[in-house]
Structure formats: C-alpha cells, structure tokens
Amino acid sequence: MRHWDAPEKADILVSELLGSFGDNELSPECLDGAQRFLRQDGISIPTSYTSFIQPITATKLYNDVKAHKDLVHFETAYVVKMHSIAGLASSHPVFTFIHPQHSVEIDNRRYKKLEFEISRDTGSVMVHGFAGYFDAKLYKDVHLSIEPSTATPNMFSWFPIFFPLRKPICVKPGLPLEVHFWRCVGSTKVWYEWCVTSPCPSPIHNPNGRSYWVGL
C-alpha cells in the first residue's frame, strides 16, 4: 500500500489491520497511507476503533513475566488468552481513530489519563497490570468488539492484550486508581508508555520505546 498506484479511486476501502488493542498493529499508519486510494466521499470499513483498558489482578501472568528476571519483559505488552484473572473495575476507553482522516496534518500520537474506582465490596486489591481490548465500528451500527461489555458473541480471532506493572500496586476500597497511557510515534517505530500516579506512583514503563515497539 506504500508503493502501489491504484488505476482509479475506490468507493469503499475494506481492511483487517486491527490488533488486540485496536491500533497496536499500526492500523492508523497503514490506513492513513492507503486512504489516497479512496474517493473524497468514500467509506472506510472499519470507520473507527477505540481501545480500552481495565485494571486486573493477575497473579499467574505477573509471575510469568517476573520469571524472566529482567526489565524488558515488564515493559512489553502481551497478547494472551486470560484465564485466572479478576477485573477490578469496568474498562475505560483510551484511544480512538477514525478513517478516513481528512485532516491536513495527521498526528497519531495519543495521551489519556484515566481514573478507575475500585469497588468498596472487594477490600484491598493488588493491581498487577491492565487488560486491553478494542471495539471497532465497521459501518454505521455494525460493531466488532472484544471489550467485555460489548463483546461480539462467539468471536475468538483476538485475545486481550496485557500491560504489566513492574511492581503490583495495592489499592484500598474507595480510593481512585489513576493511570496514564501514551501512544508515541517516532520516525521508525510506534510504542506505548504507561504508568500509575495514584494511590502511589509507579515508574513510566517503556520510556522512548526502549523495550517494546512496532517498527514502521
């Protein structure tokens, strides 16, 4: 799609570039480049997609990452079928991308601050990281989703993605969990950074994409 020249422009552009976090397989960058094949009033399928995160207790996943005994694995996101986990709050939307994007200057960098309220009924909980999902709007009211509250029935094409924390964070009931997520874009790669700032601060994970990135 970077080098091909279409003989004429299309009415509809259909793609399947979605990753478990929506944009983590460079769908925005790919479709931004491919939209030159589309008429000005053309339709992209999907028309948009949104990523979601949810704080989780995941002792086994955390111990599997910890067993590597290095920093790199704690700053890497993993696509994994989750079994022995507990969701600690409902998932919140993070990043949304819309196609086609007719802005003069396209910028796929994103930042989102999120606040989760842990249920008062659970007692103190350990947050080992975050489960990531996506919801894609294919066209009008037709959606494709792995986000738990809107998940498409009987669809197993995508597992969730797991963003670990280097150290689990204990959250007492009723206290907010404040989380920051970045989608960063460089000249040769795209990467995520994440951290917790409340109830206690964590380091920023994966600064400058030092451990985990996707090449452009």
Side-chain angles (χ1 to χ4, degrees):
M1 68 179 70
R2 290 177 175 175
H3 305 292
W4 181 61
D5 289 322
E8 62 179 297
K9 295 202 173 190
D11 298 302
I12 302 173
L13 176 64
V14 181
S15 65
E16 199 295 273
L17 296 163
L18 297 172
S20 295
F21 203 49
D23 59 82
N24 62 298
E25 294 183 5
L26 304 187
S27 181
E29 286 72 24
C30 292
L31 291 180
D32 289 345
Q35 73 178 26
R36 72 181 190 276
F37 306 139
L38 196 60
R39 298 183 191 277
Q40 185 66 26
D41 60 349
I43 296 166
S44 172
I45 297 176
T47 60
S48 67
Y49 38 91
T50 300
S51 54
F52 291 77
I53 64 165
Q54 177 186 38
I56 60 172
T57 292
T59 304
K60 184 181 185 305
L61 281 177
Y62 176 82
N63 287 335
D64 286 347
V65 176
K66 185 178 180 182
H68 290 279
K69 299 181 180 179
D70 63 21
L71 176 63
V72 170
H73 285 80
F74 273 116
E75 294 189 336
T76 298
Y78 301 90
V79 174
V80 58
K81 188 174 183 179
M82 298 184 180
H83 295 289
S84 302
I85 70 158
L88 303 175
S90 59
S91 62
H92 288 9
V94 191
F95 308 132
T96 296
F97 292 89
I98 299 171
H99 299 287
Q101 174 59 263
H102 293 303
S103 299
V104 175
E105 184 175 341
I106 295 174
D107 188 352
N108 290 323
R109 295 173 296 175
R110 298 287 190 275
Y111 163 73
K112 188 69 174 286
K113 174 184 173 182
L114 305 108
E115 187 172 293
F116 297 91
E117 188 75 28
I118 305 300
S119 171
R120 294 180 180 271
D121 300 328
T122 60
S124 296
V125 295
M126 298 300 292
V127 180
H128 293 108
F130 304 92
Y133 315 99
F134 77 86
D135 181 289
K137 179 182 178 182
L138 300 183
Y139 182 65
K140 293 188 176 179
D141 61 349
V142 181
H143 282 251
L144 191 68
S145 175
I146 64 168
E147 195 278 317
S149 68
T150 61
T152 303
N154 303 314
M155 188 182 70
F156 306 103
S157 300
W158 293 269
F159 295 147
I161 197 167
F162 175 57
F163 294 91
L165 289 172
R166 286 161 59 179
K167 292 185 178 179
I169 291 179
C170 180
V171 182
K172 296 180 180 179
L175 290 180
L177 174 67
E178 189 175 273
V179 183
H180 302 257
F181 260 76
W182 293 262
R183 187 186 196 267
C184 307
V185 181
S187 59
T188 61
K189 64 183 183 181
V190 174
W191 70 95
Y192 300 103
E193 299 178 13
W194 62 97
C195 73
V196 172
T197 51
S198 178
C200 58
S202 76
I204 294 178
H205 293 59
N206 198 38
N208 297 315
R210 66 184 178 187
S211 299
Y212 164 69
W213 70 92
V214 182
L216 289 170

